[in-house]
Amino acid sequence: MPPAGIWIDGLIQSCAYMTMAFGMVLVFSILGILNWTHGQFYMLGAFVVYYAITAVGIPFPLGLLAAGVLVAGLSILVKKIIIDHITGDLYVGVATMGLIFFFEGAASMIFGMQDKGLARVLPGVVDLGSFSVSYQKIAVVSFTLVIMIILFIMLNFTRIGLAIRATAQQPDAASLYGVSVERLSLTVMGIGCGLAAMAGGIIAPLYTINPFIGGIPMIMSLLAIVIGGLGSLTGAIVGGLILGFLNSVVAYHLSYLSEVVLFMLVVIILLVRPQGLFGASVK
Amino acid sequence: MSFLELNQVTKTFGKLAALEDIDLQVNKGEILGIVGPNGSGKTTLINIISGYFRPTKGEILFNGKKISGLRPDRIASRGIVRTFQSNVLFEGTTVIESMLISAYQQYKTNHWQSFFNTRAWKQENEEVVGRVIELIKLLDLLNDTFLPADGLSHGYQRLLGIAMAMITNPSVLLLDEPTTGMNHEEAMFVVDKIKMLREQGVTIILIEHNMKVLMGVVDRVVVLNFGTKIAEGKPEVVMNKQEVIEAYLGTELI
Amino acid sequence: MMTYIDYKDVVPKAVIGLVVLLILLVPIITTNESTLSILILSGIWAIAVMGFTLVLRTGQFSLGQAAFMAIGGYTSAILTAQMGWSFWPAFLLAGLVSGLAAFLVGMVVLRVGGIYFSIITLSLCEVIRIVAQQWESVTRGARGLITAQPNPIPLGFFEINFFSSTVPYFYLTVCLVAFTALVFWRIGESRLGRSFAGVALNPVLAEHQGMYLMKYRVIAFTVAGVFTGLAGSLYAHFLTVLTPTMLGLWQSIQILIMSIVGGIGSLVGGPIIGSILLYTFGSYLTRLDIYGIQQLLFGAVVVLVLLFLPKGTGLVDLWGRFWTKVIWREKEFEMDEAEE
């Protein structure tokens, strides 16, 4: 049994991957594109939170909100200026790969390449006998829960949310809810990428921040949505949870082998059951 | 022994039987019509013969050899080639390119000869291009040879589909509703072309919803309803049978 | 989805002659090490990019091409550094091993298409990297393997010496690029290459016309694997050291970007133009002393090319358009006259 700290690390990572994978699968299932820049939106979110706290001095929750809103705006711009003007999912995918370099370069120029760290946004620990948990970590988990609850409410009780869910299952369903496809895809792009930014913002206080932190979470959430089933919203959450723990708890026992196991698992899933754990059968 | 033979072919999807115990004999050189109301299993039949689905039960023999269970490409290279109900094309190619892609399967020279551009390959290539052009002429696509295939009118796209199947030199051609979405005049035009193909010695299985189209072309007709064969025989005879009229009752009879 | 344009009529022989002449004159024009090294590395990438494009021709979008470079690179690096082989047999074996790996992997994973195939290849690429990192007894892990320079080739009174100058390595690369280009050009022109288009454009229709999809996909993947492996070996031995991070997911992405930006309309021209321009552009940008500007501009170029040369027509199409405008018109004119 790994120490409790490892389990908590797993939970924290799960929170980030879950939030991020959810955004990614949302964009994938509505717009039909795999957004390779998702990791860079995560990175930008972390920077927004960092500067919101250190430079502007607003509290962490507000910084998180700012990260979500600003990056959502940015992603909508990306969609309007670039994605809408490229035909073919394949080429949109390549364009977003190009944007990885663009945003990492821009972040290096603007924010610098050195590691930054946010220390003690919420100081203090809760003592639980044999081990202790910092308030910061508790905050991370609770904010993730809040975001998930808000998303749940939005997707289940608002018109646009229902339209999103319907469209995810069956393209062209948006019109049934009286929502234009254009508005729907912009909303989804905004929410999806805003979620990536919030994922980055959530764990910004716990890890170092630099322009290149987006790569690994991107790959991890990609794998998460594959495990959960490409196109399945529930799958993304479960996949994110699995990956977070796999990367910490299983890695504790197997070290690097856990990564090999993970990638091979993904290969086998895609070969045997491409719809993943939760995806409906494609054919 | 008949040319193409289906023995007790059954196909079920879950609990739903799309085809049940179909027995069918196709003679060499004939045009066999298969009719039936929507959902009667016509397209499933083509999908099964062409290998897109495997039969749940039963077997299909071609020239006395079992072909059921083979991959579609194996069945196609044995000479049973189908067309599709919707316009299925190689996207972004021109008419001649589409035809050539299909024709590449029928070369006698091997890939190495083609790779090294040997004389035998060049010669055969010229022959094949000649055949492509001939077929394009036969199906009245000559004016569109260098046009993008997806820019053709609906009817001509169907003809291109037939041409692409024909260029692979099939001995059996399965046509899946070649006249859907056409007015009578266009449909008759396609039917004329189908008659011309028969003169090239190909056996044709023609699936049709529209009985009027069938009447003039087919030698024999098989009527399907709810996945079972309800009648078989000369078209004039079959169409007057009580079961057939009932099956079509409520749908557009002609 | 994809458009294939035949460029063989659009590239006049004079241009090919000019390129050959320029390549022959390179040692006279410049012996500058860094220029030569940029040319060598763009050539190496060009080979890998051609491989990627060949696989793409069968409709498969591989995100694991750098893994085959790694397999080739590690094969020859291990053979030379750990087992005392000389470069030449190790180099050839690198291509074989990589081709074999591509064949075996391809037999299993090529039945899956679309984004699924991309993610599978991406995962396998990462697995290779992790193995290279962790299998320290063979690969020396993150410290990397020191690779040997090719042995001199004696030619009677004269010998080609790879130690004293970069020029022989440049010509070695040119030879491999030219050989790859020749093979790929022939594949593209042959029945095989034309059938690839059918498999890519409409697998279901192709299958029903008698094409065995797996056959074509495995052939393309294996041929690409062989040449990509050879390129990987050249890469490892040119840079004198091979570490696991040198050939990973990022390099796979780079290969695919070079392919799409160069243009997938031709199997040879697009990849070569794409890799030379992007690699040269990238390495000149690194000389600028502003952190991050190289990535920013690189990304911007990629996006701009996709915006203005859509559907993978890429930079090679600029060339095509130029000739279509200038030369094509004359040809048409002549035809009209002949008809009258």
Side-chain angles (χ1 to χ4, degrees):
Chain A
M1 197 62 185
I6 302 285
W7 285 96
I8 291 167
D9 269 2
L11 185 63
I12 303 277
Q13 285 192 21
S14 295
C15 287
Y17 294 159
M18 243 160 59
T19 318
M20 186 145 160
F22 194 86
M24 205 152 134
V25 86
L26 207 54
V27 174
F28 180 79
S29 51
I30 306 292
L31 283 88
I33 54 167
L34 205 51
N35 178 22
W36 293 87
T37 347
H38 229 65
Q40 282 57 51
F41 289 138
Y42 169 98
M43 174 268 293
L44 290 176
F47 271 109
V48 173
V49 168
Y50 175 82
Y51 283 107
I53 293 171
T54 54
V56 186
I58 55 178
F60 179 61
L62 277 179
L64 206 54
L65 192 67
V69 171
L70 285 177
V71 172
L74 180 67
S75 70
I76 286 173
L77 274 184
V78 166
K79 183 174 183 305
K80 282 256 176 202
I81 297 173
I82 297 166
I83 294 178
D84 282 353
H85 298 281
I86 298 179
T87 39
D89 297 345
L90 175 72
Y91 304 108
V92 173
V94 179
T96 60
M97 286 178 185
L99 286 175
I100 297 176
F101 296 93
F102 183 85
F103 284 124
E104 284 190 350
S108 308
M109 288 172 74
I110 300 168
F111 309 124
M113 309 238 274
Q114 310 81 352
D115 283 348
K116 293 182 172 53
L118 262 179
R120 291 192 203 90
V121 179
L122 289 164
V125 293
V126 184
D127 201 11
L128 292 170
S130 60
F131 67 100
S132 57
V133 185
S134 67
Y135 280 126
Q136 186 67 59
K137 290 182 176 175
I138 294 172
V140 163
V141 179
S142 9
F143 277 122
T144 311
L145 276 178
V146 171
I147 291 172
M148 286 296 153
I149 290 167
I150 294 173
L151 269 178
F152 180 81
I153 292 171
M154 201 206 94
L155 285 175
N156 284 291
F157 299 104
T158 66
R159 198 172 57 157
I160 192 136
L162 289 169
I164 288 173
R165 282 182 50 208
T167 313
Q169 272 152 19
Q170 190 194 337
D172 316 325
S175 53
L176 296 178
Y177 291 84
V179 178
S180 81
V181 178
E182 173 66 11
R183 210 183 115 210
L184 187 83
S185 53
L186 281 181
T187 316
V188 166
M189 187 77 187
I191 295 176
C193 299
L195 279 174
M198 293 216 244
I202 280 176
I203 61 171
L206 298 173
Y207 297 98
T208 51
I209 303 166
N210 67 48
F212 309 105
I213 54 171
I216 290 166
M218 161 67 202
I219 298 297
M220 288 304 149
S221 39
L222 179 62
L223 300 185
I225 66 175
V226 170
I227 289 174
L230 271 174
S232 157
L233 299 180
T234 340
I237 291 177
V238 178
L241 269 174
I242 293 175
L243 270 191
F245 286 109
L246 208 75
N247 268 340
S248 50
V249 180
V250 181
Y252 180 79
H253 287 294
L254 294 174
S255 76
Y256 67 90
L257 267 180
S258 72
E259 264 188 278
V260 176
V261 169
L262 171 64
F263 283 114
M264 291 316 289
L265 179 72
V266 164
V267 171
I268 291 166
I269 286 180
L270 286 177
L271 286 174
V272 179
R273 193 181 153 83
Q275 69 270 34
L277 296 176
F278 290 84
S281 171
V282 184
K283 270 187 184 171
Chain B
M1 186 180 65
S2 50
F3 194 43
L4 176 68
E5 194 176 332
L6 276 71
N7 290 330
Q8 307 230 300
V9 168
T10 301
K11 175 71 192 173
T12 50
F13 296 100
K15 278 187 179 161
L16 191 81
L19 286 178
E20 239 180 321
D21 288 335
I22 300 285
D23 285 310
L24 195 65
Q25 277 81 40
V26 185
N27 305 317
K28 192 163 184 156
E30 74 172 338
I31 299 186
L32 174 70
I34 293 181
V35 285
N38 284 328
S40 58
K42 300 184 304 267
T43 296
T44 311
L45 191 67
I46 278 214
N47 282 337
I48 283 208
I49 299 175
S50 66
Y52 192 67
F53 295 145
R54 286 173 181 215
T56 319
K57 222 178 71 195
E59 59 174 6
I60 303 169
L61 301 174
F62 179 53
N63 275 331
K65 288 193 193 109
K66 188 174 167 217
I67 57 161
S68 43
L70 294 179
R71 288 194 314 264
D73 60 282
R74 304 291 311 156
I75 292 176
S77 38
R78 292 202 181 183
I80 304 179
V81 180
R82 71 173 292 183
T83 65
F84 290 84
Q85 198 175 106
S86 50
N87 288 323
V88 177
L89 300 166
F90 293 123
E91 284 164 56
T93 55
T94 61
V95 169
I96 182 105
E97 282 168 346
S98 309
M99 294 286 290
L100 282 173
I101 291 173
S102 301
Y104 282 124
Q105 300 314 306
Q106 297 308 313
Y107 279 60
K108 286 182 199 72
T109 43
N110 63 28
H111 286 299
W112 290 109
Q113 284 173 310
S114 160
F115 182 83
F116 289 112
N117 209 8
T118 62
R119 188 178 299 164
W121 150 259
K122 281 190 208 162
Q123 216 165 20
E124 195 181 7
N125 202 21
E126 263 168 44
E127 281 167 31
V128 171
V129 171
R131 273 185 42 223
V132 166
I133 298 289
E134 242 170 63
L135 200 56
I136 285 178
K137 270 187 201 157
L138 181 75
L139 292 176
D140 203 22
L141 288 158
L142 195 60
N143 291 335
D144 308 317
T145 311
F146 297 102
L147 295 182
D150 46 17
L152 296 180
S153 72
H154 176 82
Y156 278 101
Q157 286 193 25
R158 305 312 301 265
L159 279 178
L160 176 59
I162 297 174
M164 283 160 64
M166 276 303 288
I167 198 67
T168 64
N169 258 340
S171 33
V172 179
L173 187 60
L174 309 170
L175 299 175
D176 194 355
E177 304 209 10
T179 63
T180 38
M182 291 184 197
N183 62 33
H184 186 69
E185 211 170 291
E186 289 168 327
M188 281 307 146
F189 176 74
V190 173
V191 164
D192 263 0
K193 298 295 168 194
I194 293 171
K195 281 185 192 160
M196 287 163 87
L197 293 179
R198 191 237 295 263
E199 279 147 33
Q200 309 225 324
V202 59
T203 308
I204 295 173
I205 298 180
L206 176 57
I207 287 207
E208 229 350 300
H209 181 72
N210 185 340
M211 292 203 184
K212 205 168 183 177
V213 171
L214 270 185
M215 297 297 267
V217 240
V218 297
D219 303 316
R220 242 161 20 103
V221 67
V222 166
V223 187
L224 294 181
N225 196 22
F226 295 117
T228 53
K229 189 165 86 175
I230 56 168
E232 181 176 3
K234 291 249 176 256
E236 316 81 54
V237 183
V238 166
M239 289 310 159
N240 292 322
K241 280 196 177 176
Q242 193 57 33
E243 304 96 297
V244 177
I245 295 168
E246 268 169 26
Y248 265 81
L249 213 63
T251 64
E252 65 274 47
L253 181 56
I254 277 179
Chain C
M1 189 174 98
M2 298 173 199
T3 40
Y4 297 112
I5 302 145
D6 207 341
Y7 284 95
K8 72 167 192 280
D9 300 328
V10 210
V11 183
K13 289 197 178 72
V15 177
I16 296 179
L18 196 67
V19 170
V20 172
L21 192 70
L22 270 177
I23 290 173
L24 288 175
L25 288 178
V26 158
I28 298 169
I29 301 167
T30 174
T31 45
N32 183 332
E33 288 284 310
S34 69
T35 314
L36 278 179
S37 123
I38 287 174
L39 286 174
I40 289 171
L41 287 168
S42 2
I44 290 171
W45 287 118
I47 298 166
V49 175
M50 283 190 260
F52 171 87
T53 314
L54 189 71
V55 177
L56 186 61
R57 273 289 171 95
T58 62
Q60 299 291 68
F61 193 67
S62 168
L63 275 173
Q65 289 309 102
F68 293 111
M69 280 181 88
I71 290 173
Y74 268 104
T75 304
S76 69
I78 290 167
L79 287 174
T80 52
Q82 309 276 63
M83 305 175 81
W85 287 40
S86 70
F87 170 78
W88 299 102
F91 171 67
L92 294 179
L93 202 64
L96 283 181
V97 170
S98 169
L100 187 68
F103 175 75
L104 294 176
V105 169
M107 290 291 275
V108 181
V109 305
L110 281 166
R111 61 191 73 249
V112 183
I115 191 82
Y116 301 106
F117 177 76
S118 306
I119 299 173
I120 287 178
T121 44
L122 175 156
S123 305
L124 292 174
C125 186
E126 284 296 278
V127 169
I128 295 283
R129 183 187 56 74
I130 298 165
V131 169
Q133 209 139 22
Q134 302 296 336
W135 199 7
E136 297 224 358
S137 57
V138 176
T139 64
R140 287 177 28 103
R143 287 171 298 163
L145 281 166
I146 308 296
T147 52
Q149 286 287 303
N151 329 51
I153 307 171
L155 290 172
F157 58 94
F158 172 75
E159 77 170 13
I160 301 176
N161 191 326
F162 288 89
F163 297 94
S164 53
S165 125
T166 320
V167 173
Y169 212 97
F170 170 73
Y171 281 112
L172 175 62
T173 313
V174 167
C175 286
L176 188 62
V177 173
F179 182 60
T180 316
L182 188 68
V183 170
F184 281 31
W185 170 64
R186 280 313 310 159
I187 290 179
E189 293 290 298
S190 75
R191 183 146 71 95
L192 192 65
R194 306 276 169 99
S195 302
F196 286 169
V199 172
L201 294 172
N202 196 330
V204 174
L205 178 57
E207 208 176 10
H208 280 96
Q209 308 271 11
M211 301 180 210
Y212 182 28
L213 306 180
M214 279 298 277
K215 175 176 129 191
Y216 292 105
R217 287 175 181 166
V218 170
I219 290 176
F221 203 59
T222 308
V223 171
V226 170
F227 286 97
T228 312
L230 291 173
S233 172
L234 276 191
Y235 184 72
H237 288 268
F238 179 66
L239 295 173
T240 66
V241 65
L242 183 62
T243 63
T245 45
M246 277 162 63
L247 292 165
L249 176 58
W250 285 111
Q251 284 70 22
S252 287
I253 289 183
Q254 189 186 325
I255 289 172
L256 108 91
I257 285 179
M258 283 174 171
S259 169
I260 304 284
V261 168
I264 57 171
S266 73
L267 266 178
V268 173
I272 292 182
I273 291 175
S275 33
I276 292 183
L277 288 184
L278 281 189
Y279 188 80
T280 316
F281 181 62
S283 36
Y284 276 100
L285 285 179
T286 22
R287 297 186 184 172
L288 295 175
D289 216 11
I290 310 163
Y291 284 127
I293 194 161
Q294 66 267 33
Q295 281 113 314
L296 184 123
L297 289 177
F298 185 83
V301 165
V302 171
V303 173
L304 287 177
V305 167
L306 283 162
L307 278 175
F308 294 107
L309 299 166
K311 292 211 160 192
T313 50
L315 292 170
V316 75
D317 194 51
L318 278 183
W319 171 267
R321 282 185 204 178
F322 173 72
W323 286 105
T324 326
K325 277 209 177 108
V326 179
I327 302 229
W328 230 226
R329 237 178 234 165
E330 283 174 28
K331 271 196 182 170
E332 260 173 289
F333 188 61
E334 279 168 24
M335 266 177 63
D336 289 347
E337 272 185 335
E339 272 172 30
E340 282 163 22

